[in-house]
């Protein structure tokens, strides 16, 4: 396997992994750094909502990175033009 093919396969896997991470994290269009979590007091049974720091990837970051990885992978797979004898 050629080096160019290996690099393009790695880029395709990277793009797929990023998109799967985005989808499994809730497929949010925007990146968030905090999430609202409901906590219940076991003694009294009251519940309160608390903001917890948690990074959730957004499509505005993962989308362009995945697109660039796919485009570079496709560019590496193209065949170079052969020189013709004149």
């Amino acid at each position: 396997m050629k080096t160019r093919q290996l690099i393009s396969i790695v880029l395709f896997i990277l793009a797929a992994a990023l998109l799967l991470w985005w989808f499994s994290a809730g497929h949010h269009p925007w990146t968030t750094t905090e999430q609202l979590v409901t906590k219940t007091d076991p003694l009294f049974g009251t519940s309160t909502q608390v903001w917890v720091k948690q990074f959730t990837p957004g499509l505005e970051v993962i989308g362009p990175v995945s697109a660039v990885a796919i485009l570079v992978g496709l560019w590496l797979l193209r065949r170079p033009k052969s020189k013709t004898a004149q």
Side-chain angles (χ1 to χ4, degrees):
M1 187 177 285
K2 295 181 182 177
T3 305
R4 290 171 62 134
Q5 290 175 340
L6 183 63
I7 293 172
S8 64
I9 289 172
V10 169
L11 288 172
F12 291 143
I13 291 172
L14 175 70
L18 284 173
L19 290 173
L20 284 173
W21 178 37
W22 169 73
F23 189 76
S24 67
H27 49 279
H28 298 289
W30 310 111
T31 299
T32 58
T33 56
E34 293 183 343
Q35 184 176 8
L36 189 62
V37 176
T38 303
K39 291 189 177 183
T40 304
D41 185 8
L43 184 60
F44 298 109
T46 58
S47 61
T48 58
Q49 293 182 336
V50 180
W51 287 100
V52 177
K53 294 224 180 256
Q54 179 181 358
F55 178 77
T56 306
L59 189 60
E60 91 279 0
V61 173
I62 289 182
V65 172
S66 296
V68 167
I70 290 170
L71 289 175
V72 170
L74 288 173
W75 182 75
L76 287 174
L77 284 179
R78 70 173 172 76
R79 294 183 184 206
K81 294 181 181 179
S82 61
K83 295 180 181 178
T84 57
Q86 293 181 0

